Amino acid sequence: MRIAVASEGLEVAPRFRQCASYMCYRVERGIIVECQNLPNPGLAAPKLVALLVEMGVDTLIVGAIDYDVANVFCHAGVEVIAGAHGSAREVVQAYLTRTLTGVDELCHLDGWEHEDGHDRDLAET
């Protein structure tokens, strides 16, 4: 399993589109075994999704994210967790132990796909 966190330094970035990098954690048997920092390449959502999927990312943890961007990730099979804040590593640890609170699992919510064309944010912090 590989989990990417939209980050600003070692913290979860408050806004996905303005993050400085993605902290990519490789997890084996529920334990973080590797961490790589991928500087934000500034790609459009479809290309960024393709890059992260190619890297093996299956979960993305963010602060706030636009519905349309979350939609692209979810359709590619990447679980999106929005509303996270704090240390990126601690958020991943909490996710792995199922103790992460105050977040939304976007790909599992009924009606998560936003259809009216307005650019809105989920989990504004």
Side-chain angles (χ1 to χ4, degrees):
M1 164 186 255
R2 196 170 290 261
I3 301 170
V5 180
S7 303
E8 195 68 43
L10 298 176
E11 302 290 311
V12 177
R15 300 215 19 98
F16 173 77
R17 289 191 189 223
Q18 285 86 30
C19 74
S21 64
Y22 301 94
M23 298 296 287
C24 299
Y25 298 91
R26 188 166 54 92
V27 177
E28 292 179 4
R29 298 183 183 149
I31 298 170
I32 296 172
V33 296
E34 180 183 17
C35 177
Q36 295 177 311
N37 186 5
L38 170 67
N40 187 344
L43 300 172
K47 289 186 179 187
L48 178 60
V49 169
L51 175 64
L52 293 177
V53 167
E54 184 178 307
M55 292 175 58
V57 170
D58 43 27
T59 302
L60 174 67
I61 300 176
V62 301
I65 189 168
D66 297 333
Y67 279 95
D68 59 337
V69 176
N71 189 16
V72 174
F73 278 99
C74 292
H75 280 288
V78 177
E79 178 182 26
V80 179
I81 307 294
H85 62 281
S87 159
R89 187 177 185 93
E90 289 173 5
V91 165
V92 170
Q93 282 294 129
Y95 172 79
L96 292 171
T97 59
R98 299 175 193 241
T99 58
L100 185 59
T101 60
V103 297
D104 294 316
E105 295 180 31
L106 303 184
C107 299
H108 302 292
L109 294 176
D110 290 333
W112 61 268
E113 188 171 4
H114 185 64
E115 296 289 342
D116 71 6
H118 293 276
D119 195 26
R120 297 185 187 169
D121 290 327
L122 289 169
E124 278 288 340
T125 55

